[in-house]
Each structure stands twice: as C-alpha cells, then as structure tokens.
C-alpha cells in the first residue's frame, strides 16, 4: 500500500473527501447561467484547495461550455516571469484556436502593444507568432530585433488604439471558437495567480482586465486577496491604503467566492488518515479529538493537514514504532506534531523543560489565559491560574489575540488527550507517556531552537520581588521555622520556591503581590487540619500531588501553618518522595 498524502489537487468528484459538492454544483450552475462577461475570484490562502475546486467545477461543467485552463505558476519559472503577461496573452489567444490569418494578426497586435509599453517580449512568444527570424533577433537583444519588431507594428497606432485592436481580435476569436462548438460561452480558468510575485500578479490582473469584459466570456481566477493588496502597494507605493487595494480588486472581480474551509468535512479526512495508520472504526470521541486538534492548530488548510499527516507517517517509520503503538500513543503523537507545527515556541519550551511537565496543575495552566497575559492591576487575588511563568508570558507576547485563543482551545483538547483513561486526572504514567512523545518528536521540528527562556536560573530574590515587603516577611519567618528541620533546602524556580527534604519537594511557595500561596505536596486525604485553613485542590484519594493550598496574607497562624508543613515534611522524608 502506498504511504503518505500527495499534495496533488483533486481532479474528480470521486476524490472529493472534504465534501464540497454543494459549492461545486452552485458555482457550476452560476457559470452556465450568468450573464457575460463575468469574472469570479476563488479566494483562499495557499493550500486551501482552490485548484481542486476549479478542477471539480470544470468537471461538473463538462461539455456544456468551452473551457481553457492557464497556470500562471508554471510560466513564472525558469526566468519567464518578466514575459509572463505576454505569454499569458499569447497562450490564451492560441487556446482559442484562431484561423491562420487571425493568429497572425493577434500575434502582431501583441508584439505591437509590447513595443509601445514596458512589457517584455520573450523569444518563444515572438517566434511563435512571427517566425524564427524575430525570435533569433530577440535573443541577441540588439538593434536588429528592434528593427524587425518595428516592421511588424502599425506606426500610427497609440498604445490605447493597440489595446482596442487586440481586444477586438480577441473577441472575434472567442466568437469564432464557440460558434464552431455551438456553445454559448467560453470559461477561462486562471490558476495560481497568488503564487506570483505580488507586483507581477497585479500586472497580470491589469492585462487580464483588458479582456475580462469580452462578451461570451467567464473568467474564473484562483487568487489570495492579500497578495493582490500587497501587490498594489508594491506597484503603486505604500501610500496606497487597504481601501484602494480593495477598490482595485472590486473593479476586476464581480463575484468573490471564499474557499469554504470552515465547512470542510474534517472528520471524513481524519477518518482516511486514521485508516492509513491502522486505526479501524475510531470512536466519535477520537474523531472529535483529532478534528479539534487540527481545527485549533493548523486549521482546515488541506496542504497543512497533508504535511502533518506525512510528518506523523515519517516519524512512525523513523522510530520503527508503526504497528507497535496503541491508539492512544498515536493520538498523543499526532497532538504533539500539531503543537510543533502551529505553536512552535511552546513546543520547544516544553521540549527543553520536560522535568517541569510532572503535574496536572502545570499542564492545566497551559490552557489558562492568565499564564500568557499579565493580570490587570489590582487583580492579583483573582487570578484563576495556579502559577505564573515568565517564559509562558514571553510566548504569549509572540501571539496575537486570535492565535492565543486558538492555543488555549488546542491545549484544552491536548490535555484531554493525555488523560488516556478519561478520568479527569493525569497519572504519572500518562505524563511520562506525553514526555516520551515530546522527546521523540524532535526529529520533525523545523528549527533547533527558539529563544523563549527569560532566565537560565532563578534566585530567591526573583521570587520575593513579586510581593509587597510585608508579604515577603511572611515567607522569611516561615523559612526560619522550616530551616530548623533536618536536611531541608530551598530551591528557587522560575515561578515558585520549592521546600525540600533530602532533595525531595514537600511544599511549594508562590509569591503574589498581596499574598503568599503555600502548596503542600502530600497524598490527598492525608492532612490533619483541625482549623480547616487549607483548601483541598486534589481530587483522587491517596494520590500524591499539590493537594492542599493556603493563601497567607498575614502571620496570625504561622505556628499552626508550620505544624501542617511538618506533616508533609515527615511523609516526604519517610517516603523519599519526589
């Protein structure tokens, strides 16, 4: 069986895996019934499926109309871009299959127009219409070439008149072609305009504009509007604002059609991918997870999806684990690859800091907005996140609001995927499985490093400075008491200070502006707290974790808090717990 997903466009409806037939049928019906001339823009980013949609439209139209296809991208290669406009005119004209006399007249008009404008004449174009003599002279690019072209142009025609003559000849050739086939219209499909240099794309559109209003013609253009807008500024200067760029676009296009990527049947495509990795009859939840991971990361761009599917297949082959993975392993790997491709800064941060990915609390804050954005002044006591990480905030600054919203949605699904048994609790095995996948996925990373670290090491002072002086004193006095216990140490991290015994953490201290948050690391249900000062944040009886939280704003219960701390200290000292 062939492995991988080709980037070739769809050519027939049997391969319409995204189920866009409703749009194909509607556009085809419009093209057959609309008044002419008409120009339709199929708009979308690279890889959105514009060529596939036009292929399906052309197939649906069948023999009901005459059609001509022109790919601007293939003509822009091999240094042909400078003569692209003339190549386009000559190729479109030749596709009309004009009579010999019409063909010669059109060729002369094209070259005559070029000689009076800044359009460059290619050897192949001149040779095609006027013979080898002209082509060879052009190749020398000397006075002889100019002389030959001069002999073939009407000296008394201005550029405007030359355009009128060429347009008339083009119209006659159109009517002649559809007259022979007894069709009532001719449809031109112009593909890949947005792959051109933006300024060149605008130049091609301006040339096309000369012929877009020819009777009996429908032009279907595949293009990304942003390329047109950029090209207008390149060609006419930065003083051209977005509204003028839109006006340029609107003057050429009568019917804008945006690729319906949001309506693509992602589950259908995901199902095909899952079948290729030997996942038969996936559950609705699994299909939903895969589809949401795609939607919130790379989006529904077919080329991006093929890229990530192929990355997965490659990774499975390289690591020689294909066929040995559980469905959860495959889902986890796919989630990590989506993270790698769309949120590379966060992926690299996690890959370089795997030791921090050891708790549910850490993973859950990866989909908390407060982890990436600074809290508003005065909101310190209302933060919903447990931790504040300067590195995550640096990452958050790299993303605009929309991308950050997508990241939060993505990470919410991501954490659900890690939760293999769907019990709402991340076990040590599940977290280790996630870290293992992160580790092995590095071979498909596009870059080796992205700087997202705020500092390499952190001190106690880095943590203390987040709080007011009176809040700092609460910690310092508590530290004095804890220091009387045997084998204790204090380990400053980026966002907290860990209290340890023999290297094993038994408590964490997080500094807010107006409070200190003290977490006891011990089995849930093990704390004897008669005053019930500590909040219970754990959920699984007997599981070790950050299960108890106390927010300290004063020292009124400091001795009592120390006694609670000793319970966690004693358990950690006894168990040698991490």
């Amino acid at each position: 069986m062939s492995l991988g997903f080709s980037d070739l466009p769809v050519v027939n409806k049997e391969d319409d895996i995204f189920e866009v037939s409703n749009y194909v049928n509607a556009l085809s019906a419009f093209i057959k019934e609309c008044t002419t001339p008409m120009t339709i823009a199929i708009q979308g980013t690279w890889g959105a499926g514009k060529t596939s949609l036009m292929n399906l439209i052309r197939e649906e139209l069948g023999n009901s109309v005459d059609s001509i296809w022109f790919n601007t991208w293939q003509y822009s290669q091999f240094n042909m871009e400078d003569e692209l406009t003339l190549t386009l005119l000559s190729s479109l004209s030749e596709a009309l299959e004009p009579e010999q006399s019409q063909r010669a007249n059109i060729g002369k008009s094209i070259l005559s127009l070029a000689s009076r404008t800044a359009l460059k004449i290619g050897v192949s174009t001149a040779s095609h219409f006027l013979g080898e003599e002209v082509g060879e002279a052009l190749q020398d690019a000397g006075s002889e070439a100019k002389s030959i072209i001069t002999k073939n142009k009407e000296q008394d025609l201005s550029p405007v008149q030359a355009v009128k003559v060429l347009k008339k000849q083009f119209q006659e050739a159109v009517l002649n072609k559809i007259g022979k086939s007894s069709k009532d219209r001719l449809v031109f499909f112009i593909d890949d305009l947005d792959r051109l240099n933006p300024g060149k794309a605008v130049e091609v559109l301006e040339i096309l504009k000369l012929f877009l209003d020819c009777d009996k013609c429908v032009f279907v253009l595949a293009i990304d509007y942003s390329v047109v807008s950029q090209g207008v500024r390149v060609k006419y200067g930065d003083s051209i604002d977005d509204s003028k760029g839109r006006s340029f676009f609107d003057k050429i296009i009568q019917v804008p059609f945006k690729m319906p990527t949001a309506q693509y049947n992602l589950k259908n495509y995901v199902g095909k991918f899952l079948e290729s990795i030997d996942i038969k009859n996936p559950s609705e939840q699994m299909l939903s997870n895969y589809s949401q991971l795609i939607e919130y990361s790379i989006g529904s761009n077919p080329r991006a999806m093929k890229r990530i599917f192929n990355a997965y297949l490659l990774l499975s082959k390289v690591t020689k684990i294909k066929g040995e993975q559980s469905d959860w392993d495959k889902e986890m790997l796919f989630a990590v690859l989506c993270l790698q491709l769309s949120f590379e800064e966060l992926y690299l941060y996690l890959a370089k800091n795997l030791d921090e990915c050891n708790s549910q609390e850490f993973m859950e804050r990866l989909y908390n907005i407060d982890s990436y954005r600074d809290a508003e002044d005065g909101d310190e006591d209302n933060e919903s996140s447990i931790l504040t990480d300067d590195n995550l905030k640096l990452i958050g600054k790299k993303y605009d609001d929309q991308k950050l919203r997508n990241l939060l949605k993505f990470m919410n699904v991501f954490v659900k995927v890690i939760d293999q048994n769907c019990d709402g609790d991340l076990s040590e095995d599940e977290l280790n499985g996630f870290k293992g996948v992160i580790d092995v996925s590095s071979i498909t990373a596009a870059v080796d490093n992205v700087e997202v670290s705020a500092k390499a090491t952190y001190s106690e002072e880095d943590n203390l400075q987040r709080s007011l002086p009176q809040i700092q004193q609460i910690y310092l006095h508590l530290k004095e008491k804890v220091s009387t216990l045997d084998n204790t140490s204090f380990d400053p991290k980026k966002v907290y200070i860990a209290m340890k015994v023999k290297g094993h953490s038994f408590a964490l201290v997080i500094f807010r502006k107006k409070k200190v948050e003290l977490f006891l690391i011990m089995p849930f249900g093990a704390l004897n707290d008669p005053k019930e000062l500590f909040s219970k944040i754990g959920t699984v009886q007997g599981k070790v974790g950050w299960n108890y939280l106390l927010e300290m704003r004063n020292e009124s219960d400091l001795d009592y808090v120390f006694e609670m701390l000793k319970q966690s200290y004693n358990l950690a000292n006894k168990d040698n717990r991490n």
Side-chain angles (χ1 to χ4, degrees), residues 116-180:
R116 290 173 168 81
T117 65
L119 298 180
K120 295 186 178 182
I121 308 171
V123 175
S124 60
T125 300
S127 298
H128 179 72
F129 283 107
L130 297 178
E132 295 297 327
E133 180 189 9
V134 175
E136 292 172 0
L138 277 171
Q139 196 165 19
D140 295 334
S143 59
E144 183 183 356
K146 295 179 181 178
S147 174
I148 294 173
I149 293 172
T150 300
K151 289 191 298 182
N152 288 283
K153 68 180 184 180
E154 300 292 339
Q155 295 290 341
D156 58 341
L157 291 182
S158 68
V160 173
Q161 291 172 319
V163 167
K164 288 182 177 179
V165 169
L166 180 57
K167 183 176 179 180
K168 180 181 178 182
Q169 293 169 338
F170 187 84
Q171 178 72 79
E172 290 173 350
V174 168
L175 295 176
N176 182 61
K177 180 173 178 60
I178 63 175
K180 291 179 179 178

Side-chain angles (χ1 to χ4, degrees), residues 376-514:
E376 298 293 332
D377 292 340
D379 285 349
E380 294 86 355
D381 293 342
N382 295 319
E383 294 180 72
S384 58
S385 62
I386 294 178
L387 300 176
T388 301
D389 190 326
D390 293 337
N391 293 300
L392 293 181
K393 292 189 184 299
L394 286 175
I395 291 172
K397 290 178 180 179
K398 295 175 181 286
Y399 298 159
D400 59 26
D401 289 344
Q402 181 59 54
K403 185 166 184 177
L404 184 56
R405 283 193 293 269
N406 287 340
L407 171 62
L408 299 179
K409 293 176 182 178
F410 173 83
M411 291 309 301
N412 191 297
V413 180
F414 190 98
V415 172
K416 290 179 181 178
V417 170
I418 299 176
D419 184 14
Q420 182 178 6
N421 57 11
C422 303
D423 64 354
D425 183 72
L426 301 182
S427 68
E428 183 177 353
D429 287 343
E430 289 168 342
L431 288 170
N432 286 338
F434 153 70
K435 289 190 283 187
V437 173
I438 284 278
D439 187 52
V440 77
S441 67
S442 60
I443 65 169
T444 57
V447 297
D448 293 328
N449 181 49
V450 170
E451 182 58 48
V452 295
S453 296
K455 290 180 64 174
T457 60
Y458 290 80
S459 67
E460 182 179 80
E461 181 59 31
D462 291 325
N463 284 271
L464 286 171
Q465 67 182 1
R466 299 191 185 104
S467 299
L468 296 172
Q470 61 269 32
I471 302 300
Q472 296 177 21
Q473 289 302 310
I474 297 173
Y475 165 75
L476 293 174
H477 292 157
L478 183 61
K479 179 182 177 182
E480 289 179 7
K481 293 180 177 293
V482 173
S483 297
T484 64
L485 302 173
D486 293 337
N487 300 312
T488 54
S489 61
F490 302 85
D491 186 10
K493 300 294 185 182
K494 291 184 288 291
V495 294
Y496 60 82
I497 295 177
M499 295 182 176
K500 296 184 174 182
V501 53
K502 297 179 181 179
H504 303 294
S505 298
F506 64 90
L508 300 179
V509 181
I510 298 171
F511 296 85
R512 307 296 189 189
K513 184 176 181 180
K514 298 179 181 179

Side-chain angles (χ1 to χ4, degrees), residues 250-362:
D250 291 344
K251 286 179 180 178
I252 294 176
I253 306 301
Q254 285 83 57
V255 182
F257 177 84
K258 187 174 181 180
M259 288 298 299
T261 54
Q263 279 68 52
Y264 284 172
N265 188 335
L266 290 186
K267 287 186 178 181
N268 198 23
Y269 201 32
V270 166
K272 180 179 180 181
F273 166 67
L274 295 181
E275 182 179 341
S276 74
I277 60 174
D278 299 322
I279 295 181
K280 309 298 183 183
N281 302 316
S283 66
E284 280 299 315
Q285 183 59 55
M286 180 180 290
L287 284 172
S288 178
N289 285 348
Y290 275 93
S291 298
Q292 288 183 332
L293 288 170
I294 290 171
E295 178 184 356
Y296 299 140
S297 59
I298 59 177
S300 49
N301 182 292
R303 181 167 294 133
M305 283 188 276
K306 292 172 184 176
R307 178 184 173 189
I308 200 165
F309 291 164
N310 288 332
Y312 173 88
L313 294 171
L314 169 64
L315 194 57
S316 293
K317 284 291 185 183
V318 170
T319 56
K320 298 181 180 179
I321 55 177
K322 183 173 174 62
E324 300 174 6
Q325 296 172 292
S326 68
D327 288 354
W328 178 78
D329 292 326
K330 297 173 182 178
E331 191 173 2
M332 190 70 260
L333 177 57
F334 185 78
V336 167
L337 289 176
C338 285
L339 176 68
Q340 182 188 87
L341 189 61
S342 295
F343 307 106
E344 191 170 47
E345 295 86 356
L346 180 57
Y347 165 80
L348 290 171
Y349 169 68
L350 294 176
K352 292 188 293 184
N353 296 274
L354 283 178
D355 289 343
E356 296 189 18
C357 307
N358 56 6
S359 70
Q360 181 158 342
E361 290 81 3
F362 177 86

Side-chain angles (χ1 to χ4, degrees), residues 84 210 215 332 426:
L84 178 61
L210 300 175
D215 191 29
M332 190 70 260
L426 301 182

